[in-house]
Amino acid sequence: MSHRAPRAARAPDPDTEQRTVLYAVRSATALHRLLDAVPVFAGDPRVRPRFTLVPGSDFGTDALAALDGVGARTVAWPEAVRGGHDLVVAASPNGPLDELPGPLVLLPHGAGFNKRLPHASGDDSASGLHPRQLLRDGAPLAAFHALAHPDQLAALAERAPAVAARAAVVGDPTLDRILASGPRRERFREALGTGGRRLVAVVSTWGPESLLARRPGLPALLTAELPFDAYQVALVVHPNVHSDLGEFALRQRLAPAPESGLLLARPHEEWASVLVAADCVLTDHGSTALYAAAQDRPVIGCYDGGTELIPASPMAGLLARAARWSDQEPPGAQVEAAVVAHRPGDGTALAAAAFAEQGHSLERLRAHCYALLGLDPYPGPVPARPLPVPRIPARRPTALVAQVDTAGTSVSVARHPLDGGPRDGHVVAEDGLSTLNEMRSAGIVVRRARPTGPGPGSESGPGSAPGPAVGWTAAAWTAHVLAEFPGCRSAAAVFAPDHCVLRRREPPGADRPGLLSVRIAAAAATGGGPLVRPDPAAVLCGVHGWLETTAEPRLPVTLDCVVGGRRATVTLAYGTDGGADAEL
């Protein structure tokens, strides 16, 4: 099939120097890459951006929705091929890009070129570097091909010398955004509700060799098996999977993991914020894990081999040196082993095979783009934009199973989602969160005091006039719960991270009915790290378990309580009238 030569771009008006840059979007993945490069023209009134959807992709519908989501001004393809723009920027060489007038800047589709081109053979058939994609009728498709590493330029020179003559190494704008966001790591973790837990990110590409295709139950296994107070699990899925299924169907397929606390990152920016926040990454052969390695995060390989990964690629090198996942070994032990074995610099050394010019990609790309536009670059720096704070909808398990081990005054607690399957221990339900059946089956029910100060609904407005305030005292609520749920053995109220009260179901005629005071002191931080406070509800599970196994507890008593691998000192004493009258 012959391809007609691109028509010349329109001549710009020398008086106004106005230029139009057309971003040619093949898929949502390509759009996200383009958006990371858009700041090269930021602030320049001479440059007007437009977007068009390149026809022929199976994932074009989602790309159109993504364009609408970012408020992009779009141009229909028939209009785009008629011209009216001065530069075309694309992040995929596929589709009829040669029909668009004007010089084309081609950006990489992802990190490195690690996968074989479909229906091609040989180790030199890297998707994105294959002559079949980059040439039209023997001529280079792009006026400028941006690359992230000198090895890519060398490979291109070997396979398509004419294309390599128009290429240069500029770096990776997406990586620069990730690295610029490093100081936001603590803020990201706070937004995700990670706290002092290890955040384990599971990364899956798309297609038959992907992690989700070969191990579809791994996210659910991790959320079920990893102790809730020690680990948090997030899933990063290739945008094509989101495009194919949609978020609703994807969550349905992953059930019950999302309801058990699994975080599902959205495909634009949020996935990268999750990688910034992560402590360890489980991955297949998709290139996303290279961004985790560039931040020096431990990586565990979950790829069992196949035909897609190129053996000499940076991703193959990373997997060859990463820890290997085993379906027969306990998940927690494998994560901990990978974290302990990791040495500072291990990841960055491996990622160096895919990324060069770190921190300089936008300024280098800007120089080439403005040269093609025939303009002097807009003055001022072009720093990489930090990633936004993730806003993944937080979903805590509605109930947990607590396993409590006691030895004298030493207590250890491990909680797991109740939806994870049968497990020894007692159920801990939370008033206002758990279902009625969970409350009925609970050994302990917990209620958290309402935050002080104005809250939701406090704003005045039509129809929002407040009615009489309704609340419980600790004494009344705990007594009510034990009366309402005969199977419940303890009811506890959380007033603050260090202060709780608990009521036990005492036998008739007991000498000491009433409330117990629970004071929690987190262990001092070691090595200059932050102070990590345990979830008071988890500590209350430990107190409940200790009381259940102690025939005649003598109070006051000090318990050494371990939750999520961290110690807290718990002082348990008889309650006071002030604690009984405190409002929830």
Side-chain angles (χ1 to χ4, degrees):
M1 176 178 173
S2 63
H3 297 271
R4 58 187 177 85
R7 292 188 293 272
R10 65 179 176 88
D13 184 344
D15 295 328
T16 61
E17 290 193 310
Q18 288 291 318
R19 305 290 194 276
T20 296
V21 175
L22 181 69
Y23 293 93
V25 179
R26 173 77 172 175
S27 64
T29 309
L31 172 63
H32 301 156
R33 299 293 296 189
L34 292 171
L35 292 176
D36 287 339
V38 161
V40 298
F41 301 115
D44 193 340
R46 302 169 298 174
V47 177
R48 181 176 60 175
R50 290 290 183 268
F51 293 79
T52 191
L53 186 64
V54 181
S57 172
D58 293 337
F59 307 104
T61 301
D62 204 60
L64 192 60
L67 281 167
D68 186 61
V70 298
R73 181 64 61 86
T74 57
V75 176
W77 181 258
E79 181 182 348
V81 299
R82 288 197 294 268
H85 48 266
D86 305 286
L87 184 68
V88 180
V89 184
S92 169
N94 299 324
L97 292 175
D98 55 318
E99 296 181 15
L100 294 171
L104 170 67
V105 173
L106 189 59
L107 307 178
H109 189 66
F113 298 89
N114 304 290
K115 291 184 180 181
R116 288 188 174 93
L117 188 69
H119 314 300
S121 60
D123 293 345
D124 63 343
S125 56
S127 180
L129 291 182
H130 199 283
R132 190 170 82 198
Q133 297 173 292
L134 304 179
L135 298 173
R136 299 292 191 272
D137 293 333
L141 172 66
F144 175 65
H145 196 161
L147 299 171
H149 194 276
D151 288 351
Q152 299 166 9
L153 183 59
L156 193 58
E158 182 178 340
R159 299 163 193 168
V163 177
R166 301 184 177 190
V169 176
V170 303
D172 188 301
T174 301
L175 175 67
D176 286 352
R177 293 194 69 189
I178 290 174
L179 296 179
S181 303
R184 293 188 171 193
R185 173 176 161 83
E186 186 174 333
R187 187 178 176 192
F188 290 176
R189 291 171 66 87
E190 180 181 358
L192 296 171
T194 306
R197 297 180 289 177
R198 290 202 194 282
L199 176 54
V200 179
V202 181
V203 177
S204 177
T205 187
W206 67 294
E209 295 182 13
S210 68
L211 184 149
L212 278 186
R214 290 180 169 179
R215 288 183 171 90
L218 184 58
L221 172 71
L222 293 172
T223 54
E225 294 296 324
L226 295 177
F228 179 78
D229 296 295
Y231 298 93
Q232 185 181 38
V233 183
L235 178 62
V236 173
V237 181
H238 194 282
N240 286 355
V241 178
H242 286 270
S243 298
D244 182 37
L245 294 177
E247 185 172 338
F248 180 84
L250 181 56
R251 285 188 175 277
Q252 287 287 98
R253 184 169 294 187
L254 294 169
E259 289 72 29
S260 297
L262 176 73
L263 302 175
L264 180 58
R266 283 172 284 232
H268 177 45
E269 296 180 323
E270 204 165 60
W271 67 268
S273 297
V274 166
L275 289 190
V276 172
D279 296 292
C280 183
V281 173
L282 277 64
T283 184
D284 52 21
H285 60 307
S287 59
T288 300
L290 286 167
Y291 293 114
Q295 299 174 84
D296 211 17
R297 302 288 187 265
V299 173
I300 301 177
C302 301
Y303 182 58
D304 298 323
T307 61
E308 293 181 351
L309 182 65
I310 295 176
S313 65
M315 193 61 211
L318 174 62
L319 290 174
R321 293 165 179 80
R324 293 289 306 150
W325 180 259
S326 170
D327 294 324
Q328 283 69 50
E329 298 295 325
Q334 296 188 69
V335 172
E336 287 304 304
V339 171
V340 171
H342 183 78
R343 296 290 177 266
D346 285 354
T348 51
L350 294 171
F355 304 114
E357 298 295 338
Q358 296 183 19
H360 306 291
S361 62
L362 291 180
E363 61 186 66
R364 292 180 65 84
L365 180 61
R366 180 172 68 168
H368 290 280
C369 289
Y370 272 94
L372 290 171
L373 283 174
L375 293 176
D376 292 329
Y378 196 65
V382 278
R385 294 172 297 142
L387 295 163
V389 175
R391 302 191 182 279
I392 303 176
R395 290 185 177 175
R396 286 188 296 160
T398 55
L400 296 154
V401 177
Q403 296 172 304
V404 180
D405 294 324
T406 61
T409 57
S410 296
V411 180
S412 65
V413 181
R415 297 189 299 171
H416 297 82
L418 184 60
D419 285 341
R423 192 179 297 273
D424 295 334
H426 64 262
V427 175
V428 52
E430 188 163 327
D431 193 15
L433 178 67
S434 301
T435 66
L436 181 59
N437 284 337
E438 290 166 346
M439 298 279 281
R440 287 171 173 165
S441 64
I444 177 173
V445 174
V446 176
R447 179 177 177 134
R448 301 178 194 265
R450 290 175 295 185
T452 59
S458 63
E459 299 86 353
S460 61
S464 64
V470 178
W472 289 93
T473 65
W477 177 81
T478 53
H480 165 76
V481 167
L482 294 181
E484 187 75 12
F485 302 104
C488 181
R489 299 283 299 162
S490 298
V494 177
F495 291 104
D498 61 350
H499 177 215
C500 310
V501 297
L502 180 144
R503 185 190 293 274
R504 290 279 295 151
R505 184 181 296 280
E506 299 290 354
D511 293 336
R512 284 281 187 178
L515 299 180
L516 302 179
S517 169
V518 181
R519 295 286 180 176
I520 307 167
T526 58
L531 178 68
V532 179
R533 293 187 180 276
D535 182 355
V539 175
L540 288 167
C541 288
V543 172
H544 169 80
W546 183 82
L547 290 169
E548 288 284 285
T549 58
T550 304
E552 296 183 2
R554 294 184 177 182
L555 306 184
V557 66
T558 299
L559 304 178
D560 179 32
C561 186
V562 178
V563 177
R566 290 184 169 88
R567 280 188 151 72
T569 300
V570 181
T571 303
L572 181 62
Y574 294 112
T576 65
D577 291 341
D581 295 336
E583 292 188 25
L584 288 170

